């Protein structure tokens, strides 16, 4: 068994997969350095240095074999943060190289491909919910701020949606769990990585007065329009699971 350690990035993972083929490794495990705990002192460790040219060659091969939609599926597996993500992606790449067929990701008889499909459905569902349930709060500097805590790392998948939808205002979306976010300044939409987790209490102190008034009005509206006799909590939770309530002003 050879353990390949990489930097945790998608380009790093593609570089690692390239080197699996380059050095003709057979029995391997791919682990990010952050998650690596060496239990076997005799294990064969291979340190991978991310190289864009190697990552690009893997991408080009994948685009030829499984197309851009297939690459997008593998990206969602990576963003799922599933413990087996690296091995699943490696398995898919090996099959695409072996068969050179765009339909390999539909071969659900293969357990790895079946799991890739299931992960994609879960990540896609989470992406959809994030686009639906994100709530922005206006700050004193006129920037609209939203906090999220998704089950999967879907921030890269919702970037285009919010950039296209909110082009006329400055906004930030911050992932509480992963301590990074998106910032749109009317010109560019880039990721940002704070040195420390954002102190949400301090942010609440910077709410714009209009935001405080808006939240109060919205909560009153929700209370007034909520017909108790027609309340169906089971159906409500089915459409809006409880873990998303923390994003909704009307639930505070």
């Amino acid at each position: 068994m050879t353990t390949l350690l990489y930097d945790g990035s998608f380009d790093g993972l593609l570089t690692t997969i390239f080197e699996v083929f380059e050095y003709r490794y057979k029995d391997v495990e791919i682990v990010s350095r952050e998650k690596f705990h060496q239990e076997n002192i005799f294990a064969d460790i291979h340190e991978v240095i991310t190289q864009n040219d190697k990552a690009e060659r893997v991408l080009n091969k994948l685009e030829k074999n499984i197309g851009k939609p297939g690459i997008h599926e593998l990206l969602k597996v990576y963003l799922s943060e599933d413990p087996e993500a690296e091995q699943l992606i490696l398995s898919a790449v090996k099959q695409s190289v072996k068969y050179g067929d765009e339909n390999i990701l539909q071969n659900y008889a293969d357990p790895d491909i079946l799991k890739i499909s299931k992960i994609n459905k879960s990540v896609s569902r989470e992406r959809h919910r994030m686009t639906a349930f994100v709530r922005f709060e206006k700050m004193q500097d006129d920037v609209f701020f939203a906090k999220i805590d998704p089950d999967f790392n879907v921030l890269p998948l919702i970037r285009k949606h919010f950039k296209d939808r909110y082009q006329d205002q400055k906004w930030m979306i911050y992932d509480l769990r992963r301590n990074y976010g998106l910032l749109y300044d009317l010109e560019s939409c880039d990721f940002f990585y704070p040195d420390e987790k954002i102190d949400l209490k301090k942010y609440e102190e910077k709410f714009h007065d209009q935001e405080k008034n808006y939240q109060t009005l919205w909560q009153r509206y929700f209370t007034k329009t909520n017909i108790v006799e027609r309340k169906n909590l089971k159906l409500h939770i089915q459409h809006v699971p409880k873990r998303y309530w923390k994003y909704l002003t009307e639930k505070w």
Side-chain angles (χ1 to χ4, degrees):
M1 169 74 75
T2 300
T3 300
L4 293 92
L5 301 182
Y6 77 110
D7 62 7
S9 69
F10 192 58
D11 281 345
L13 176 56
L14 295 180
T15 302
T16 305
I17 291 174
F18 181 93
E19 295 191 359
V20 169
F21 288 91
E22 181 181 17
Y23 297 110
R24 299 183 180 180
Y25 290 130
K26 299 299 181 185
D27 188 16
V28 302
E29 65 171 349
I30 301 175
V31 186
S32 70
R33 293 187 185 90
E34 183 181 355
K35 298 178 182 178
F36 177 63
H37 301 286
Q38 186 169 353
E39 298 177 355
N40 182 0
I41 61 174
F42 300 106
D44 185 9
I45 306 296
H46 177 82
E47 292 273 357
V48 177
I49 305 300
T50 299
Q51 299 179 49
N52 292 336
D53 59 330
K54 290 184 176 181
E56 193 68 27
R57 287 177 66 179
V58 175
L59 274 179
N60 290 338
K61 186 68 174 178
L62 285 173
E63 185 172 351
K64 179 181 178 181
N65 291 347
I66 62 176
K68 290 182 179 179
I71 293 175
H72 193 63
E73 285 192 42
L74 297 186
L75 176 61
K76 284 193 280 188
V77 173
Y78 165 75
L79 294 173
S80 73
E81 302 171 329
D82 188 281
E84 298 179 21
E86 290 91 350
Q87 300 303 128
L88 291 170
I89 294 171
L90 174 61
S91 175
V93 173
K94 283 183 174 180
Q95 292 187 53
S96 75
V97 170
K98 182 177 180 179
Y99 300 109
D101 184 356
E102 289 193 17
N103 293 323
I104 64 134
L105 292 178
Q106 297 175 15
N107 178 24
Y108 305 128
D110 183 275
D112 289 344
I113 300 301
L114 179 60
K115 183 161 185 179
I116 286 173
S117 175
K118 290 180 178 178
I119 289 174
N120 264 263
K121 289 178 181 177
S122 297
V123 174
S124 296
R125 189 180 304 116
E126 187 76 341
R127 176 204 172 277
H128 174 72
R129 285 171 171 167
M130 283 298 106
T131 59
F133 300 141
V134 165
R135 293 292 187 270
F136 286 98
E137 298 159 330
K138 190 174 183 180
M139 312 305 291
Q140 292 173 7
D141 58 4
D142 291 332
V143 173
F144 288 83
F145 177 79
K147 52 187 181 294
I148 63 174
D149 186 17
D151 292 340
F152 309 111
N153 183 17
V154 296
L155 199 54
L157 301 177
I158 64 176
R159 177 182 181 179
K160 185 178 185 303
H161 169 85
F162 284 99
K163 183 177 182 296
D164 291 346
R165 186 169 182 179
Y166 300 105
Q167 297 182 7
D168 60 345
Q169 58 195 41
K170 296 179 181 180
W171 51 261
M172 295 170 60
I173 302 177
Y174 174 62
D175 188 325
L176 297 166
R177 188 177 308 188
R178 297 163 187 86
N179 190 35
Y180 85 111
L182 275 174
L183 172 62
Y184 176 69
D185 61 3
L186 300 180
E187 294 183 0
S188 61
C189 183
D190 297 315
F191 295 105
F192 67 90
Y193 304 87
D195 293 332
E196 299 179 355
K197 287 192 174 183
I198 292 178
D199 188 335
L200 295 179
K201 290 185 178 179
K202 290 183 178 179
Y203 262 78
E204 290 176 2
E205 293 173 359
K206 297 179 181 179
F207 276 171
H208 196 287
D209 288 340
Q210 291 179 357
E211 174 62 29
K212 298 173 185 177
N213 294 335
Y214 165 78
Q215 290 182 4
T216 301
L217 288 171
W218 181 246
Q219 288 162 358
R220 288 176 180 172
Y221 169 80
F222 184 78
T223 301
K224 293 289 185 180
T225 57
N226 185 23
I227 303 174
V228 178
E229 291 78 7
R230 295 184 181 179
K231 188 173 183 178
N232 186 333
L233 186 59
K234 184 177 180 180
L235 181 62
H236 182 61
I237 292 175
Q238 180 181 337
H239 289 289
V240 188
K242 282 188 175 181
R243 67 179 183 277
Y244 299 103
W245 289 8
K246 57 191 171 187
Y247 306 123
L248 306 180
T249 305
E250 60 268 25
K251 295 295 186 183
W252 297 349

